[in-house]
Amino acid sequence: MSEIQTVGIVGAGTMGNGIAQACAVSGLKVVMVDISDAAVQKGIATVSGSLDRLIKKEKMTAADKDAAMARIQGSTSYDDLKGAQLVIEAATENLELKIKILRQLDGLLPADTLVATNTSSIGITQLAAVTQRADRFIGMHFFNPVPMMALVEIIRGLQTSDSTHAAVHALALKLGKTPITVKNAPGFVVNRILVPMINEAFFVLAEGLASAEDIDNGMKLGCNHPIGPLALADLVGLDVCLAVMNVYFAEFNDSKYRPCPLLKEMVAAGYLGRKTGRGVYSY
């Protein structure tokens, strides 16, 4: 398997452009594809702005930025992905959309091209099965904001080959990330632990054991978390937290994953967190 020198990325949104930045800064060529030129240009502008902030903090020079930006090619054509050794699908977290994209890539890319998905919840084995390269398919779950967060979950589907895992693991290290290897299961590792913790914080709040502020301060000061679970829920989106808990409840068929009634009621009220101006807290 040839060394990964060019990475294709499908999706120029928050995750896609973050992955593009991490790759370009690490010296890799990047082809970032989205459905419209406006979306592509917005993604490239986001990377440029992010690198400008690093220059202001004296963590990067203007010459370094120019070199990184020169490595990023924006496109609206999947044909431009043919030269990549790895293509990362970073589209919206929607099963039907991801399947459509993966099938389109499968018919276009050379047989030895690796394909990864940045999904945070959809099964890798399931997605691999819709391709003709299941052994060369893997999960590569980056965390937001990608340029800042050190972790990458590398998720092996049942079909993923050792050589595919080794190549993607090596790439994560090249990007300056710390990879952890995970078997395919709902929520993988981090979200499997994190979201039920957030859900439990809602149970504590609903039972009146403490105020929202005291619950969050307890976890920040007692467990050294940078942000409390309820404030984090507002940041992630209460609807997203509820959707993940519903997936766990259905997939594991275990009552410990039942969503908190207060969380369900707040989502029904439209109190989704920062994005709506009101969640556990008002913004």
Side-chain angles (χ1 to χ4, degrees), residues 5 34 78 85 121 126 150 159 165 183 202 205 221 234 255 257 278 280:
Q5 297 176 325
D34 212 315
Y78 278 28
Q85 290 80 44
S121 64
Q126 178 184 10
Q159 316 95 316
H165 172 264
K183 291 181 181 179
F202 275 94
L205 180 65
L221 302 177
D234 278 353
S255 62
Y257 296 112
R278 180 173 178 178
V280 177

Side-chain angles (χ1 to χ4, degrees), residues 10-26:
V10 179
T14 301
M15 297 305 293
N17 67 57
I19 297 167
Q21 177 179 329
C23 291
V25 167
S26 299

Side-chain angles (χ1 to χ4, degrees), residues 161-185:
S161 70
D162 289 342
S163 60
T164 297
H165 172 264
V168 171
H169 189 277
L171 175 69
L173 292 175
K174 185 178 179 67
L175 299 184
K177 304 300 184 185
T178 301
I180 62 172
T181 298
V182 183
K183 291 181 181 179
N184 184 59

